[in-house]
Amino acid sequence: MYNATNSGSRMFRYEVVGLRQNAETDKTDYAIRNSGSQFFNVPYDRMNQFMQQITRWGGKIVSIHPLNGAAAPLAATTEPASNTSNNGAAPVKEKKVDIPVNIYRPNNPCIGKVISNQELVREGGEGTVKHIIFDISGTELRYLEGQSIGIIPAGTDANGKPHKLRLYSIASTRHGDFQDDKTVSLCVRRLEYKDKETGETIYGVCSSYLNQLQPGDEVKITGPVGKEMLLPDDPEATIIMLATGTGIAPFRAFLWRMFKENNPDYQFKGLAWLFFGVAYTANILYKDELEELQAKYPDHFRLTYAISREQKTPDGGKMYIQGRIAEHADEIWQLLQKKNTHVYMCGLKGMEPGIDEAMAAAAAKNGADWQEFLKGTLKKEGRWHVETY
């Protein structure tokens, strides 16, 4: 990447959106994920070169600001989200939090060791999904809820080169599943699909690699990355979570932090509402644990399933997550009027249009335009968090 070579160089801060993993970004040491803004400090004499690079990466420059002439190495970061109060006042700037990013890069990953690799899909379900716990006690890796880590599969690709890393959302809190700060967990579905020409079943390289890991196996880990999906510090916040399949991973971390850990600096007293879309009941990942939380904290945790192969919409169609949002859109709209309500979406990108349609109808009932509210209020205030694929 770029570095300032002249201590007198004027520096400019670029805000970039839309970066995506592709052949060009694969050449860098940065794990790129298409979620939220990324920020780069660039010296004046490298601006043209940098803008050409962003174009090749598929990104869009949103803004450029001078940094008072101070020279500094280029850094890829994301600004912390704004915190909000629950008294209807305008959002206030959140205090700076130490957010770890890229402690380990692809050219120098840390080594985690598999503790367990547990199947989450029950009999009668579709596909295979594993909950994998890694021991990271011998590393400097640390992370926050909502972040991701990279996994570099063992072996080489068809060209004899090392496999590229794949990013996975972390499914554990910052303290790990054993609350000892020594582990990190993932929720991984083995990718499989049919080749359109041959009809052959193709399995994902990294997901298959993770699927077959055994306790004691060593794995190369990078990261963490991501600031788009971080929880606000406000313990009175309303957190609405929309998940499909393994998109539950960051929300498991959220819920465990809210309800299963005893954190003196974070005693959650707000409302957490999870909408979870799956194909079959047997595909409800972490089902027993989620329903235990619902029973134990009924005033603070709501759980709504959308089971597409078993449930129907009023018009007889399959019940997807956007159908459940449509059922509750009026209530969600009212919750969004509170300045400390955040929405998090993780999973299949196909749910987004239906959710927008449902919320547009609710907004119209209240004389508002959904897209204007989404862009001018929720996104502007850092209260709409999306990580879909």
Side-chain angles (χ1 to χ4, degrees):
M1 300 297 284
Y2 307 102
N3 289 292
T5 56
N6 183 345
S7 61
S9 295
R10 295 179 61 197
M11 298 297 295
F12 294 82
R13 190 165 179 79
Y14 282 68
E15 179 182 3
V16 180
V17 297
L19 293 180
R20 60 179 184 269
Q21 201 78 43
N22 58 30
E24 287 294 327
T25 57
D26 279 347
K27 298 175 184 176
T28 75
D29 285 340
Y30 290 92
I32 301 298
R33 178 168 251 174
N34 186 12
S35 61
S37 297
Q38 288 188 278
F39 293 78
F40 299 84
N41 298 343
V42 183
Y44 176 78
D45 57 2
R46 306 301 290 274
M47 289 173 70
N48 286 339
Q49 184 179 352
F50 176 73
M51 287 188 284
Q52 293 172 8
Q53 185 78 288
I54 289 299
T55 300
R56 288 197 296 271
W57 289 354
K60 177 182 177 182
I61 296 171
V62 176
S63 63
I64 306 172
H65 298 287
L67 291 177
N68 299 322
L74 174 68
T77 62
T78 308
E79 295 288 1
S82 297
N83 194 12
T84 57
S85 63
N86 62 352
N87 58 7
V92 296
K93 192 79 172 180
E94 179 179 293
K95 63 181 180 180
K96 288 190 175 182
V97 180
D98 178 20
I99 303 173
V101 175
N102 286 323
I103 297 173
Y104 291 96
R105 297 184 180 276
N107 60 359
N108 185 30
C110 69
I111 303 299
K113 185 173 291 187
V114 177
I115 294 176
S116 64
N117 192 342
Q118 178 186 0
E119 178 64 62
L120 294 175
V121 177
R122 293 176 300 283
E123 185 177 353
E126 187 177 70
T128 180
V129 179
K130 297 293 188 69
H131 181 78
I132 312 170
I133 304 177
F134 300 95
D135 178 1
I136 55 171
S137 59
T139 78
E140 298 298 321
L141 184 66
R142 55 193 175 86
Y143 57 90
L144 299 177
E145 301 77 18
Q147 291 192 300
S148 300
I149 55 173
I151 300 293
I152 303 176
T156 57
D157 60 21
N159 297 316
K161 296 183 178 180
H163 289 297
K164 299 296 183 181
L165 70 83
R166 304 294 192 275
L167 290 172
Y168 293 93
S169 296
I170 297 170
S172 52
T173 75
R174 67 192 71 181
H175 301 301
D177 281 355
F178 305 133
Q179 299 182 39
D180 60 3
D181 300 315
K182 295 180 179 180
T183 67
V184 62
S185 300
L186 297 180
C187 173
V188 180
R189 178 185 180 90
R190 185 177 66 177
L191 174 65
E192 57 179 274
Y193 59 94
K194 295 287 187 182
D195 184 280
K196 292 182 179 179
E197 295 182 358
T198 67
E200 178 186 2
T201 300
I202 307 296
Y203 296 98
V205 172
C206 195
S207 61
S208 296
Y209 164 72
L210 289 168
N211 183 268
Q212 55 79 41
L213 289 173
Q214 300 297 317
D217 287 348
E218 295 186 342
V219 177
K220 295 178 180 178
I221 299 175
T222 69
V225 297
K227 298 184 181 180
E228 171 69 13
M229 298 287 284
L230 299 182
L231 270 175
D233 286 337
D234 183 1
E236 304 285 341
T238 293
I239 307 296
I240 299 173
M241 298 161 281
L242 317 178
T244 61
T246 55
I248 189 66
F251 305 143
R252 178 186 186 268
F254 288 5
L255 294 169
W256 268 230
R257 178 161 173 78
M258 291 172 179
F259 301 116
K260 285 205 165 191
E261 294 183 344
N262 182 20
N263 297 300
D265 58 341
Y266 183 75
Q267 298 287 328
F268 186 73
K269 301 297 182 184
L271 172 65
W273 190 354
L274 172 64
F275 291 84
F276 192 8
V278 296
Y280 299 97
T281 298
N283 284 100
I284 300 174
L285 310 178
Y286 311 108
K287 181 177 184 292
D288 293 343
E289 295 159 297
L290 291 172
E291 292 176 2
E292 178 186 345
L293 291 181
Q294 183 186 39
K296 191 172 182 179
Y297 302 99
D299 296 333
H300 299 286
F301 178 45
R302 294 173 65 176
L303 178 60
T304 303
Y305 294 135
I307 308 174
S308 62
R309 306 293 175 84
E310 299 174 6
Q311 299 173 338
K312 300 291 185 181
T313 60
D315 62 1
K318 292 180 179 179
M319 177 59 77
Y320 293 108
I321 191 170
Q322 50 267 42
R324 289 296 184 210
I325 298 301
E327 291 180 346
H328 297 278
D330 292 338
E331 183 178 3
I332 293 171
W333 172 259
Q334 294 303 321
L335 289 172
L336 290 175
Q337 306 316 301
K338 298 195 307 176
K339 293 293 185 179
N340 66 339
T341 295
H342 289 249
V343 174
Y344 293 82
M345 191 184 310
C346 189
L348 296 176
K349 194 174 185 66
M351 66 174 143
E352 293 187 56
I355 289 170
D356 278 336
E357 182 179 346
M359 293 311 303
K365 292 179 185 178
N366 292 273
D369 180 277
W370 169 246
Q371 288 300 321
E372 288 183 4
F373 181 73
L374 177 63
K375 296 175 183 177
T377 301
L378 297 181
K379 290 184 177 181
K380 186 176 181 180
E381 295 175 359
R383 299 196 285 126
W384 188 262
H385 313 262
V386 178
E387 196 163 83
T388 56
Y389 41 84

